[in-house]
Amino acid sequence: MITADLLTAIGRVIKPHGVAGEMSIQFTVDSPADTVEAAECLIFDIDGIFVPFFPDTVRPRGSESLLVKLDGIDSDTDAAQFSGKTVYALTDRLPDEDEEDELDPDNLYAGQLAGFEAFDADTPIGTITDIDDTTENVLFIVENAEGSRILVPVADEFISGIDIDNRKIYFSLPEGILDL
């Protein structure tokens, strides 16, 4: 079984491209094509389960994007179901890169924090498994030890610190927000 601690977020599906199941994916890694080749499969959170999909075709679209057709995804309707989803890869399959060099503390994107442990002050609340950007208010999806999902707003005023080396993010959340 694939669990969040084995994964690294490497990008996000932007939208379907054409009618044959191809999709445009924006990557957060330095060399997307090499990363996809090394990873062998791309992993998506489908209804709370991490599911691997194997790339059928991969072609460049700019320096940070690729057009990817996944095996078994054969129409624009199938591809549309992936729009907005975070793309993961197994961390141990990724090309060797110093993770500290990948994450610029002055220029982080919410999607790059998937896999980070989340804390409210010093109290652990879970692990960031995904980002929900389907609404105007972007949310971190945090899975706690019991497997429940907690939604935390992606807002600078709630983030009190980020420890890139130890993959931890600290929040200062308003009282009661974790009970929603």
Side-chain angles (χ1 to χ4, degrees), residues 4-5 7 9 45 50 86 88 110-119 125-132 139-144 150 152 154 159 162 167-171:
D5 61 319
L7 301 175
D45 182 341
F50 291 108
T86 300
Y88 298 94
Q112 293 175 299
L113 299 173
F116 275 55
E117 290 179 69
F119 295 81
I125 56 175
T127 302
I128 297 173
T129 59
D130 204 355
I131 308 302
D132 180 356
L139 302 166
F140 288 112
I141 299 174
V142 179
E143 188 171 317
N144 65 17
I150 301 165
V152 176
V154 176
I159 299 173
I162 299 174
R167 297 182 55 82
K168 295 180 180 181
I169 182 168
Y170 297 91
F171 295 100

Side-chain angles (χ1 to χ4, degrees), residues 14-94:
I14 304 303
K15 63 181 181 174
H17 181 81
V19 295
E22 200 171 40
M23 56 188 84
S24 177
I25 301 177
Q26 179 81 33
F27 287 87
T28 57
V29 292
D30 289 333
S31 40
D34 293 340
T35 300
V36 170
E37 183 179 340
E40 296 178 21
C41 68
L42 301 178
I43 300 169
F44 297 89
D45 182 341
I46 308 292
D47 296 328
I49 299 171
F50 291 108
V51 180
F53 289 85
F54 296 89
D56 195 16
T57 62
V58 177
R59 57 191 182 112
R61 181 182 178 129
S63 63
E64 297 177 353
S65 297
L66 297 175
L67 295 175
V68 178
K69 160 87 172 64
L70 299 174
D71 189 35
I73 306 301
D74 299 318
S75 72
D76 57 335
T77 305
D78 292 342
Q81 296 176 31
F82 290 83
S83 291
K85 287 196 176 282
T86 300
V87 180
Y88 298 94
L90 291 168
T91 302
D92 65 351
R93 300 257 177 147
L94 294 175

Side-chain angles (χ1 to χ4, degrees), residues 96-176:
D96 288 335
E97 293 182 20
D98 185 352
E99 194 165 340
E100 292 172 318
D101 290 341
E102 282 184 37
L103 298 178
D104 177 1
D106 297 324
N107 192 23
L108 286 172
Y109 295 97
Q112 293 175 299
L113 299 173
F116 275 55
E117 290 179 69
F119 295 81
D120 183 18
D122 290 327
T123 305
I125 56 175
T127 302
I128 297 173
T129 59
D130 204 355
I131 308 302
D132 180 356
D133 61 0
T134 59
T135 65
E136 197 168 320
N137 297 317
V138 179
L139 302 166
F140 288 112
I141 299 174
V142 179
E143 188 171 317
N144 65 17
E146 292 82 37
S148 297
R149 289 183 173 190
I150 301 165
L151 301 176
V152 176
V154 176
D156 289 340
E157 61 265 23
F158 295 147
I159 299 173
S160 57
I162 299 174
D163 180 350
I164 292 175
D165 295 336
N166 295 307
R167 297 182 55 82
K168 295 180 180 181
I169 182 168
Y170 297 91
F171 295 100
S172 180
L173 299 172
E175 191 172 322

